[in-house]
Amino acid sequence: MSITAVTKEGPAAVAPAPTIGSHLRDYWQRVRGGDIGALPAVAGLLVLCTIFSIMRPSFLTAGNFANLFTQGAAVTLIAMGLVFVLLLGEIDLSAGFASGVCAAVLANLVTVLGYPWYVAVLAALLTGMVIGTTLGFLVAKVGIPSFVVTLAGFLAFQGVVLLLMKEGRNISVREPVVVAIVNRNMPVALGWTLAAIAVAGFAVVQLLRYRSRAARNLINDPFPVVLGRIAALALVLGLAVYVLNLERSLNVLITSLKGVPIVVPIVAVLLVVLTFVLQRTSYGRHIYAVGGNREAARRAGINVDRIRISAFMICSTMAAVGGIVAASRANSVDPNTGGSNVLLYAVGAAVIGGTSLFGGKGRVLDAVLGGAVVAVIDNGMGLMGYSSGVKYVVTGVVLLLAASVDALSRRRASATGNR
């Protein structure tokens, strides 16, 4: 295929279609211009996995691979919501304890009051929406800086958790459906089926996009690159499902433990939905516009206040989802649920994955990649016997490096005119 430029005098010279070589050169130019995307997170993830695999071969076992998903799920889900706030150049310091409040609501309803699981889950999600709407209103309408509002929320929600937990009580969560979210696995055949559906859906989207751009004579990615993306996803999902479908039980005579954890497709579905919202809807474009230049977005007719309120609402709702997952993993809720390092890890995950703290740049996928980096550090150093202090130091250094890369890439992009 070739691309023809049309002028007033008629068709101009036919430009050759992009080749793999030109595509790679364009990508390298974007990287040099400061548009590095998630490259540092992917490179860091590969390096960390290689190091831990060499130093602790047990890191590569099927059982530990499954543990990585379950250990990092709650933080990753909270980070996915934080991306929306960070894209606006704002911050939500209350997301951790907001997840704890929602988890406490769930535990009280399902265990203490005996409500059905779906009522408790819905109540937890609605609690998150109310929290986010309130925070967003105070930031957008009242004009209080998000740092101050969410810091106040951080303190207040910690107190709310204590009140809901009767000043220190631990509430067990034994509801089978809630417990199954993190602690149960899908049947082996269902795991392969969902992987095949995911690859097929991705292939359809990629091929339709290629066909649409080709029909309108727009510059397109080389067809082998499109096929390469599809093949790469098929390879990654195929390997992941294969490993997770291996027997992980230490005693198969007592119980069998294999299959993809149920929480994995939950995270995947939310990733697809939120990515579609950010990248394929006018609302998503408005998020990026407000984060890039709030005044310009206002003059363009965007309801900036509504966008800011909705971003905080999405953030706290995703914190509620993270709280539900945390309650499922621990089979209980206590006053420290959502506290400790949850917020730090969630913000770190978003930033490490490539979302900018300055607003206007980031994807929901960044939270997943950054969450994977945080989970690998925590898991790998735990296998090596390092203390929590060492884990915090290493995670902090990685976060500082990610923020430094972000600042340097933005400076580079500004210098080259790509901002």
Side-chain angles (χ1 to χ4, degrees):
M1 185 194 76
S2 61
I3 300 172
T4 304
V6 180
T7 66
K8 292 182 179 179
E9 292 75 19
V14 177
T19 62
I20 295 179
S22 65
H23 180 80
L24 292 176
R25 286 193 295 272
D26 290 341
Y27 176 74
W28 176 243
Q29 288 298 323
R30 292 198 302 272
V31 171
R32 292 185 61 188
D35 183 13
I36 58 177
L39 185 60
V42 174
L45 191 60
L46 292 175
V47 170
L48 287 169
C49 288
T50 301
I51 292 174
F52 289 137
S53 299
I54 294 173
M55 300 189 71
R56 282 293 182 273
S58 58
F59 180 82
L60 285 178
T61 60
N64 192 60
F65 187 59
N67 287 338
L68 286 173
F69 286 100
T70 57
Q71 288 175 359
V75 167
T76 299
L77 289 165
I78 297 173
M80 289 165 68
L82 279 166
V83 167
F84 284 78
V85 173
L86 293 175
L87 283 173
L88 299 179
E90 306 285 1
I91 189 67
D92 187 354
L93 300 177
S94 67
F97 276 114
S99 72
V101 170
C102 298
V105 169
L106 170 80
N108 274 282
L109 288 176
V110 79
T111 300
V112 179
L113 300 178
Y115 281 90
W117 68 268
Y118 49 85
V119 174
V121 168
L122 181 60
L125 296 177
L126 289 175
T127 301
M129 291 179 64
V130 171
I131 289 174
T133 303
T134 303
L135 295 175
F137 178 84
L138 293 172
V139 172
K141 294 297 186 180
V142 181
I144 308 174
S146 60
F147 179 88
V148 177
V149 171
T150 58
L151 178 60
F154 174 88
L155 297 172
F157 297 151
Q158 187 173 5
V160 171
V161 172
L162 286 172
L163 293 173
L164 290 173
M165 306 306 294
K166 305 301 181 184
E167 299 293 343
R169 182 178 56 168
N170 185 306
I171 300 179
S172 298
V173 177
R174 302 300 182 191
E175 214 295 323
V177 175
V178 176
V179 172
I181 294 174
V182 175
N183 299 289
R184 298 289 183 271
N185 305 304
M186 297 187 299
V188 171
L190 182 58
W192 284 115
T193 302
L194 292 180
I197 292 174
V199 173
F202 181 75
V204 168
V205 170
Q206 289 290 309
L207 294 175
L208 287 178
R209 181 176 182 272
Y210 180 87
R211 180 181 177 182
S212 174
R213 294 183 66 85
R216 291 179 290 172
N217 284 334
L218 298 175
I219 295 178
N220 219 342
D221 291 333
F223 191 65
V225 172
V226 176
L227 294 179
R229 291 196 192 107
I230 299 171
L233 180 66
L235 178 62
V236 170
L237 288 184
L239 286 175
V241 173
Y242 169 76
V243 173
L244 291 172
N245 281 340
L246 295 175
E247 181 61 64
R248 305 191 294 271
S249 176
L250 298 178
N251 192 338
V252 295
L253 297 178
I254 298 177
T255 182
S256 178
L257 185 61
K258 56 184 177 180
V260 179
I262 293 174
V263 73
V264 173
I266 293 175
V267 174
V269 169
L270 289 171
L271 170 63
V272 172
V273 171
L274 295 179
T275 298
F276 177 83
V277 169
L278 270 184
Q279 298 186 357
R280 299 296 179 185
T281 66
S282 58
Y283 171 77
R285 291 191 291 272
H286 291 171
I287 287 276
Y288 285 105
V290 173
N293 190 319
R294 188 182 304 170
E295 184 57 31
R298 191 189 310 277
R299 294 184 179 185
I302 297 174
N303 190 328
V304 174
D305 289 348
R306 186 181 66 182
I307 294 297
R308 296 173 76 191
I309 293 173
S310 64
F312 278 94
M313 183 183 69
I314 291 173
C315 180
S316 293
T317 303
M318 288 301 298
V321 177
I324 294 169
V325 169
S328 173
R329 180 169 183 261
N331 291 343
S332 65
V333 176
D334 60 62
N336 196 44
T337 300
S340 185
N341 55 9
V342 172
L343 172 67
L344 303 179
Y345 277 2
V347 175
V351 176
I352 290 170
T355 297
S356 175
L357 287 168
F358 302 98
K361 174 187 172 185
R363 304 170 300 169
V364 181
L365 180 61
D366 296 341
V368 177
L369 294 174
V373 172
V374 171
V376 165
I377 293 174
D378 189 57
N379 179 276
M381 300 196 75
L383 290 176
M384 294 173 64
Y386 287 109
S387 65
S388 296
V390 177
K391 293 180 186 178
Y392 289 151
V393 170
V394 173
T395 306
V397 170
V398 172
L399 174 58
L400 182 60
L401 289 175
S404 301
V405 169
D406 175 40
L408 292 174
S409 65
R410 290 180 69 88
R411 183 184 303 175
R412 178 65 178 172
S414 179
T416 57
N418 293 325
R419 182 178 174 83

